[in-house]
Amino acid sequence: MPKTQNPRPMITKKQKLPGWLKKRLPHPDELSHVRCTLDRLQLETVCREAHCPNLCECFARGTATFMILGAVCTRNCRFCAVNHASQPHPPDEDEPERIAEAVRHLNLSHVVITSVTRDDLPDGGSGHFAQTIGTLRDNCDQAVTIEVLTPDFNGHAADIDRVLDAGPDIYNHNMETVPRLYPVVRPDAEYQRSLDLLRRVAAAGGTAKSGMMLGMGEAEEEIVCVMQDLVDAGCRALTLGQYLAPSERHYGVEEFLSPEVFAKLGERAYSIGFEAVASAPFVRSSYHAEKMVDQL
């Protein structure tokens, strides 16, 4: 029998979540407008594919995070619910136009575009990101701020610059966890590579943003060290949220951090030098992202 990569016990369905991790579900009618728009335009969202706990709340508010380049990732991070395969479908050339139509129909003022990792593509999908940004700029009548949440593009400078040159208002790339846990949680990623991407964004004058999932066994001093690395790299915005294992096959939750702990970490992040911070159990990369725009 091969040794398991996760020595920690899983949080099973039989174990109750703490009270602060329970939400009231909106009435289905509150969600239908967004769902119908996404289904009609055949668009993917990370909200659905990644089993985001905020899906109902965000859909009820009329917002969603669009996921381009398909719903199949070429990497297999142990925290992520998105399906993976070595050869996903080719990019959909009409996808940027359909996203622009959705943004107009939903009357969004801030749009977040993310993607699966596409190591199979020569440019890592950066050209598709740039095309989507350009299409939104050209086809949306209302004033829209655009945030991208990209993979690491294997650190290729040309691919990062291709997205930057398209002019997103915010460039987000998540560190996800502390360096010690990368070999198990993000085996195909590199801590320094992700940090260098954000440093490149900031050096080019872009607004760099990042995020972490907590409760995977990291120590507080490790979290603070990542915060300091991010600020030193020029990162201006940070999200901190509770990790929730998508299934028993995924990396296990070791700890549920209380809202008070998240508040304390948020205060520490501001003291280190971040200009915009969202730190709470249900915070995710794009959760209430438009509020961070106002802070910045």
Side-chain angles (χ1 to χ4, degrees):
M1 291 288 291
K3 292 183 178 179
T4 177
Q5 287 183 301
N6 179 18
R8 299 179 176 83
M10 303 300 290
I11 298 298
T12 67
K13 294 180 180 179
K14 294 181 180 179
Q15 292 176 282
K16 292 184 179 180
L17 294 174
W20 63 79
L21 287 175
K22 296 177 181 179
K23 278 192 170 187
R24 181 193 72 83
L25 295 179
H27 190 276
D29 291 346
E30 297 180 58
L31 315 179
S32 61
H33 179 54
V34 174
R35 280 180 171 161
C36 288
T37 300
L38 296 172
D39 292 342
R40 176 174 63 84
L41 296 173
Q42 298 180 299
L43 294 173
E44 306 285 355
T45 67
V46 75
C47 323
R48 291 198 273 202
E49 297 302 326
H51 303 176
C52 180
N54 301 314
L55 182 150
C56 290
E57 180 184 349
C58 292
F59 277 22
R61 291 172 51 243
T63 63
T65 297
F66 300 99
M67 189 167 74
I68 62 175
L69 294 167
V72 178
C73 188
T74 53
R75 297 187 188 177
N76 188 22
C77 298
R78 296 203 61 229
F79 61 84
C80 185
V82 176
N83 292 325
H84 65 96
S86 58
Q87 289 294 327
H89 293 299
D92 182 346
E93 294 182 1
D94 296 329
E95 188 173 55
E97 285 75 16
R98 298 201 306 277
I99 290 177
E101 183 178 345
V103 170
R104 290 196 305 271
H105 186 72
L106 296 173
N107 197 31
L108 300 180
S109 59
H110 182 71
V111 58
V112 182
I113 307 295
T114 189
S115 80
V116 291
T117 299
R118 293 296 302 263
D119 291 328
D120 60 308
L121 299 175
D123 70 348
S126 60
H128 202 68
F129 265 102
Q131 182 184 353
T132 302
I133 295 168
T135 301
L136 286 170
R137 297 286 189 216
D138 294 340
N139 292 277
C140 292
D141 296 329
Q142 72 269 35
V144 178
T145 52
I146 301 173
E147 177 174 337
V148 294
L149 171 58
T150 76
D152 62 20
F153 297 122
N154 281 304
H156 294 154
D159 297 335
I160 300 166
D161 291 347
R162 189 173 291 114
V163 178
L164 272 172
D165 291 344
D169 296 286
I170 294 179
Y171 196 125
N172 190 354
H173 174 72
N174 285 335
M175 301 302 291
E176 306 291 12
T177 189
V178 299
R180 177 176 57 84
L181 295 177
Y182 263 59
V184 177
V185 177
R186 302 187 71 197
D188 296 320
E190 296 176 10
Y191 180 81
Q192 192 61 48
R193 186 165 69 196
S194 287
L195 197 62
D196 287 345
L197 182 154
L198 291 163
R199 181 176 288 106
R200 188 173 189 87
V201 170
T207 301
K209 174 182 175 181
S210 191
M212 295 176 67
M213 304 173 297
L214 307 182
M216 306 175 91
E218 68 287 327
E220 181 175 340
E221 56 266 27
E222 291 180 297
I223 299 170
V224 173
C225 283
V226 175
M227 290 183 189
Q228 189 64 62
D229 284 347
L230 286 168
V231 168
D232 290 346
C235 194
R236 296 171 57 191
L238 177 71
T239 58
L240 301 173
Q242 172 70 51
Y243 169 64
L244 297 172
S247 77
E248 294 185 3
R249 300 187 307 274
H250 290 83
Y251 192 86
V253 179
E254 178 158 310
E255 181 182 10
F256 291 124
L257 281 69
S258 70
E260 291 75 21
V261 171
F262 276 103
K264 175 185 172 184
L265 289 170
E267 292 173 1
R268 185 68 181 275
Y270 276 119
S271 71
I272 288 174
F274 285 99
E275 299 171 33
V277 178
S279 180
F282 278 115
V283 166
R284 297 296 182 267
S285 302
S286 54
Y287 184 56
H288 287 195
E290 68 278 7
K291 292 183 178 180
M292 276 202 158
V293 175
D294 293 338
Q295 286 182 272
L296 291 167

